[in-house]
């Protein structure tokens, strides 16, 4: 199987070179600072014990404590976690957060676990990582197939181990357990804002934009909902089980309602699928990608678009809500074709921005209103988007992705400069 991490590094090297960055910063980002691998033992409901491979990667702490989600998915591997942690490093730097990048994951199919097994797995993860993470070291958050409840279990486990309240150890918690208002919708809301900034620059009406959304979880559902409310026509939606299409447009809340229909208290995950939605036809995952739409939103997993299927893509714009949904080679082909891509490190940054707000609120012990969260999120993304847009228009060959990497690498290079030699900061332990 192709290495996602090698692909991520290939992109880093290419964009670093194109943006004129020093070898020093590229070298410093070519390997993770540290990674902890663990085998989690979990007592199952039938009394047996199962073992799960778990990871936490602290990619870089040059700009602050590491920050990044925890994924529960059968395909989680050290390679994938490292790639995701590298992208988190770039993302936090692009949107001016005082964070480095990290990521974690467990190789598990969480849909096969009971709620109690899921809780034991989550607590076991935190027990394995408790000395590695911390509010000023490395702050996890939700990612694919993890959610606020899982963050709450992990916070609780950390506090039991440390024998003190530490709400800022993890973000994406339920509001009643130190979470921030607006965190659940933040990734989708952020992606909606950047899409709107792009639409305004391109001078198109929302009603004229036909959208296909791949992935209908936290990020995919929320971005689809906000776009739908703003008048965009959502013609296709998919999840892991399949895809649906309606030329007249889908009602996003209706789709969500049908998907949630079989949700049971025993399960943390939706058992239903978008495919159960009425008044739409079922299409394949591949057909969704090939639709003649204006905007394609990959919001599932990495490598959705590679050199093998990039020829299918007809969308004029792509908002990358998933992390790394387009491989480096496919990205080059789309760029040459003139497809405008809002890159993941900007498009899905709403999640980590509001995670940062949550961390700030936890540290200050002072919660913000929903309006404050939403306004500050929009302002941060607008400033960053404007900066990227300006950079992109300085040269014909440029792109929003190059602009984002150029900014991030410059910030990190300054930190390298200030802190001294690579050997110094690699070994300093913080
Ligand atoms: P989630 O677990 O809430 O949802 C994942 C969705 O993807 C589900 O609807 C699932 O059915 C669907 N899916 C899985 N495989 C698919 C496939 N092959 N085709 C179509 N759909 C498929 O996860 P999420 O939090 O929404 O994360 C989605 C993406 O967004 C990931 O790449 C994640 O790293 C990224 N992201 C999430 C956040 C966040 O705050 N949740 C922040 C930044 C980036």
């Amino acid at each position: 199987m192709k290495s996602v991490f090698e692909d991520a590094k290939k992109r880093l090297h290419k964009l670093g070179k194109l943006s004129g960055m020093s070898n020093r910063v590229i070298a410093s980002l070519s390997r993770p600072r540290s990674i902890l691998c663990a085998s989690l033992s979990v007592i199952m409901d039938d009394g047996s014990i199962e073992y799960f491979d778990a990871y936490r990667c602290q990619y870089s702490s040059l700009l602050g404590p590491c920050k990044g989600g925890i994924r529960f998915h059968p395909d989680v591997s050290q390679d994938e976690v490292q790639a995701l942690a590298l992208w988190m490093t770039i993302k936090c730097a692009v949107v001016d957060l005082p964070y480095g990048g990290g990521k974690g994951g467990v190789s598990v199919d969480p849909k096969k676990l009971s709620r109690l097994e899921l809780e034991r797995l989550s607590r076991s993860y935190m027990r394995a990582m408790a000395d590695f993470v911390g509010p000023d070291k490395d702050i996890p958050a939700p990612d694919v197939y993890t959610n606020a409840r899982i963050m709450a279990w992990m916070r609780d486990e950390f506090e039991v181990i440390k024998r003190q309240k530490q709400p800022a150890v993890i973000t994406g918690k339920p509001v009643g357990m130190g979470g921030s208002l607006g965190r659940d919708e933040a990734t989708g809301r952020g992606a909606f804002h950047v899409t709107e900034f792009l639409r305004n620059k391109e001078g198109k009406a929302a009603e004229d934009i036909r959208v296909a959304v791949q992935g209908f979880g936290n990020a995919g559902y929320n971005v689809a909902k906000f776009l739908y409310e703003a008048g965009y026509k959502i013609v296709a939606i998919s999840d892991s089980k399949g895809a649906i299409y309606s030329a007249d447009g889908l009602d996003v809340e209706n789709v969500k309602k049908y998907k949630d229909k079989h949700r049971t208290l025993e399960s943390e995950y939706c058992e239903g699928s978008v495919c159960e939605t009425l008044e739409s036809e079922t299409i394949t995952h591949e057909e969704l990608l090939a639709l003649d739409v204006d905007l394609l939103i990959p919001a599932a997993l990495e490598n959705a678009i590679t050199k093998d299927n990039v020829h299918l893509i007809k969308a004029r714009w792509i908002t990358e809500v998933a992390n790394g949904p387009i491989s480096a080679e496919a990205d080059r082909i789309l760029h040459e074709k003139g497809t405008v891509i809002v890159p993941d490190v900007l498009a899905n940054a709403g999640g980590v921005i509001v995670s940062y707000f949550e961390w700030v609120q936890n540290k200050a012990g002072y919660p913000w209103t929903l309006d404050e969260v939403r306004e500050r999120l929009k302002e941060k993304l607008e400033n960053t988007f404007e900066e990227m847009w300006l950079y992109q228009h300085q040269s014909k060959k440029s792109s929003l992705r190059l602009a984002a990497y150029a900014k991030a690498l410059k910030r990190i290079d300054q930190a390298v400069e200030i802190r001294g030699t690579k050997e110094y900061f690699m070994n300093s332990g913080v």
Side-chain angles (χ1 to χ4, degrees), residues 15 50 98 136 161 200 204 217 253 289 304 311 320-321 324 340:
L15 297 178
E50 284 204 21
D136 297 304
I161 294 165
N200 286 325
K204 283 192 93 175
E253 282 306 329
L289 291 176
H311 60 278
E320 285 186 331
V321 172
V340 180

Side-chain angles (χ1 to χ4, degrees), residues 67-80:
K67 186 86 190 81
I70 299 171
R71 179 174 292 195
F72 284 180
H73 193 277
D75 295 340
V76 164
S77 63
Q78 180 174 339
D79 182 84
E80 182 189 58

